[in-house]
């Protein structure tokens, strides 16, 4: 019982109402309360007027005068609220005041009208009944947003009206009172229903706002994730591209005042992959984070934007014109910064970085062309001197044109069957006997002449033609292999793109199968740069190829970054010492040292070693002395057409 009363009081007080509901109620009341007083006053005037002749002036003049004064006072207070912002406590307080004032005034009006009832004829008495019912209904309608007050008014004023008129004994008044009671009940129900919808709308609005806030928060997070590299917290490729496009759009405008030139730079780390492979991914991440911090500090200039656009690739935009000299200095600073050793738990790591720059608008006027040009310059920097920087120039433009010419011609070369093979024997250095033949691609193009493989193979790789070229040339090589004596094997060069899936290798197996040759007579040469593209994949593929029966040779060994670092991870049968070490073998102690170390390594791993590029008898003698048996080079044979070689 006590609990229920407490609940009722809490409800009347709106204690559990959400602040938003209270504010909404208060806002509604700002306009409704003055209207309510207007209704009240007009009712009072009407009743005072009809009773002027019959009732004492205290009731028809003084009372209304006091009421008018009080009502206008309240109206003034409410109008003063205007559209000021209210605190929750103030709004709550005003609602409580209404509660008290409404009941208090209601009871005064009831007492007044009951007093008036005693004067006048039946018609005037009816006006009292009419006054009371219309006033109560008016209050309910005006305070529909505050059901607590409306119900209190009904319970006090409404009910005293009903009781008063029922007890009058007059059947007309009894009927009016009962009728009014029914209308009150219905009005209460309607009002409560309306109030429920009203508060539901507010709660729904609140939910919606919450959802909106959540969506906004998520959107913000998404934008951040979509535009930021999580490891280095630098802008990512997408963000970089957007920035570049926007910058070009601004600079391309005719009304851009000032010099519209700017510089795009691409930075690629050299030797990052071995760090990842040898020291683990955590170390790789550490290197990237370190490099990004150092570059950020070094490029501490509001004109510079640094982004990480790929695994070990960074990009910068310098939003002001720079001279070639300034760009070169910037490039030097960048490469120097990257070369600083990085301390790891497993020791110090040192990597280097190459840069390619493209200048807007000389090198290009679209994001793609600028990035391509910078990439081209970067590629050249890597090719010619790792750890250097190059600015895209008109010579590069010519090279690009030439390359696209070669690419076009290469497509035709496949359909016109212009590609063929030379073979270079691998010999037993002691007896001079041929043990194997390395197939080397040749291409004689009508206009371009003899295009060296070092030129067209990379183009074929970049343009995605290498897979087809490998298959065509391999089929030609295996066709020849089938006719060779059993003890001579075929050595065939594979590119990184040939090692991407088992499906590609399966095609090669099939090609051998068609000729009925044993897989063990085929050796694939794989260079370190091939392995560096994806070491894990390379390990997986070479292991599988060896299980199938093929032989694997590591080509150009010793030229890469840390050949010794991952060699134990690979499974292979032979190792070819790069010809650069053989070239200086007899004159350079360091080369001799490297060759000795590699030969020891081969001994430890029980793999055969082949020396490439043997050009002189001295080199042959020294290699034999060091314990290298298999050799290849111009001293024995130059690459040649098969018919020039005697195999039996
Ligand atoms: P590589 O695999 O190192 O091939 C050996 C290269 O050294 C050949 O150049 C060969 O002519 C040259 N050479 C052989 N003996 C000597 C020597 O005593 N002295 C000197 N200075 N050079 C010697 P080539 O034929 O121009 O091939 C260049 C590269 O092109 C190859 O290097 C190989 O990486 C690639 N290549 C050639 N054919 C193919 C192919 O069919 N597929 C793929 N993926 N790459 C190929
Ligand atoms: Ca080779
Ligand atoms: Ca080689």
């Amino acid at each position: 019982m006590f609990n229920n009363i407490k609940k009722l009081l809490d409800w009347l007080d709106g204690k559990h109402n959400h602040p938003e509901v209270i504010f909404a109620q208060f806002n509604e009341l700002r306009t409704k309360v003055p209207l309510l007083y207007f209704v009240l006053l007009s009712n009072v005037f009407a009743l005072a007027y009809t009773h002027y002749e019959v009732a004492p002036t205290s009731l028809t003049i003084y009372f209304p005068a006091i009421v008018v004064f009080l009502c206008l006072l309240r109206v003034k207070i409410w109008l003063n609220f205007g559209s000021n912002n209210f605190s929750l406590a103030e709004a709550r307080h005003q609602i409580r005041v209404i509660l008290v004032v409404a009941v208090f005034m209601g009871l005064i009006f009831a007492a007044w009208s009951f007093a008036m009832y005693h004067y006048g004829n039946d018609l005037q008495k009816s006006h009292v009944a009419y006054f009371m019912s219309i006033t109560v209904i008016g209050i309910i309608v005006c305070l529909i947003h505050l059901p607590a007050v409306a119900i209190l008014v009904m319970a006090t004023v409404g009910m005293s009206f009903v009781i008063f008129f029922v007890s009058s004994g007059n059947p007309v008044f009894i009927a009016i009172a009962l009728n009014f009671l029914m209308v009150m009940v219905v009005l209460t129900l309607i009002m409560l229903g309306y109030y429920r919808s009203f508060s539901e709308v507010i709660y729904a609005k609140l939910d919606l706002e919450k959802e909106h806030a959540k969506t906004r928060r998520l959107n913000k997070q998404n934008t951040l994730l979509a535009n930021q590299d999580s490891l280095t917290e630098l802008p990512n490729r997408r963000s970089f591209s957007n920035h570049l496009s926007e910058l070009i759009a601004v600079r391309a405008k005719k009304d851009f005042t000032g010099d519209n030139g700017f510089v795009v730079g691409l930075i690629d780390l050299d030797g990052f992959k071995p760090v990842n492979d040898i020291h683990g991914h955590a170390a790789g991440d550490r290197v990237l984070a370190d490099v990004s911090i150092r570059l950020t500090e070094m490029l501490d200039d509001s004109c510079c934007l640094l982004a990480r656009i790929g695994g070990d690739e960074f990009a910068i935009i310098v939003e002001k014109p720079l001279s070639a000299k300034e760009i070169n200095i910037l490039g030097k600073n960048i490469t120097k910064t990257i070369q600083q050793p990085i301390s790891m738990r497993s020791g110090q790591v040192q990597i280097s970085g190459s840069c390619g720059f493209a200048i807007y608008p000389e090198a290009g006027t679209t994001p793609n062309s600028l990035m391509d040009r910078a990439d081209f310059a970067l590629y050249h920097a890597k090719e010619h001197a790792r750890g250097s920087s190059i600015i895209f120039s008109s010579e590069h433009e010519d090279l690009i044109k030439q390359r696209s010419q070669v690419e076009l011609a290469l497509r035709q070369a496949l359909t016109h069957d212009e590609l063929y093979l030379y073979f270079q024997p691998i010999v037993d250095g002691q007896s001079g006997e041929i043990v194997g033949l390395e197939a080397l691609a040749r291409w004689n193009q009508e206009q371009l002449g003899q295009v060296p493989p070092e030129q067209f193979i990379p183009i074929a790789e970049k343009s995605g033609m290498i897979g087809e070229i490998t298959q065509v040339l391999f089929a030609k090589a295996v066709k020849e292999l089938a006719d060779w004596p059993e003890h001579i094997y075929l050595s065939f060069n594979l590119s990184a793109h040939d090692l991407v899936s088992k499906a590609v290798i399966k095609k090669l197996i099939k090609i051998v199968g068609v000729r009925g040759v044993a897989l063990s007579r085929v050796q694939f040469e794989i260079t370190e740069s091939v392995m560096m593209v994806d070491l894990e994949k390379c390990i997986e593929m070479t292991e599988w190829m060896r299980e199938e029966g093929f032989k694997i040779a590591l080509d150009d060994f010793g030229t890469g970054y840390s050949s010794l670092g991952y060699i134990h991870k690979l499974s292979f049968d032979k190792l070819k010492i790069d010809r650069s070490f053989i070239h200086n073998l007899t004159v350079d102690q360091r080369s001799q040292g490297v060759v000795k170390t590699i030969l020891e390594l081969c001994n430890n791993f029980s793999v055969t070693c082949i020396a490439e590029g043997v050009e002189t008898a001295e080199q042959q003698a020294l290699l034999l002395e060091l314990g290298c048996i298999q050799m290849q080079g111009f001293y024995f044979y130059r690459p040649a057409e098969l018919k020039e070689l005697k195999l039996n």
Side-chain angles (χ1 to χ4, degrees), residues 231-232 234 287-297 306 314:
L231 175 68
T232 59
L234 290 177
V287 168
L288 291 173
D290 248 51
V291 166
S292 75
I293 291 171
R294 284 182 197 176
L295 286 177
T296 310
E297 279 168 6
L306 174 70
F314 294 82

Side-chain angles (χ1 to χ4, degrees), residues 339-396:
Q339 271 165 20
Q340 311 274 318
I342 299 166
S343 308
M344 296 269 166
R345 226 182 287 149
S346 50
Q348 273 203 340
V349 168
Q350 190 175 13
I351 54 164
S352 63
S354 310
C355 297
F357 291 104
I359 303 169
Y360 175 91
E362 289 89 334
T365 50
T366 63
N368 279 348
S369 61
L370 275 173
M371 291 294 271
D372 280 353
R373 300 314 196 246
D375 193 42
F376 196 84
L378 171 68
Y379 171 80
H380 272 260
K382 272 176 137 15
E383 279 281 291
H384 299 302
R386 280 173 173 240
S388 66
S389 73
I390 287 186
I391 307 170
F392 186 85
S393 66
S394 56
E395 287 105 72
H396 293 134

Side-chain angles (χ1 to χ4, degrees), residues 438-440 491-494 525-527 555-556 576 579 612 632:
E438 178 177 359
L440 293 163
S491 205
F492 193 88
N493 294 287
L494 280 190
E525 298 193 8
I526 295 164
T527 64
D555 200 1
D556 301 349
K576 295 181 83 172
R579 60 176 179 272
E612 289 189 321
Q632 188 183 19

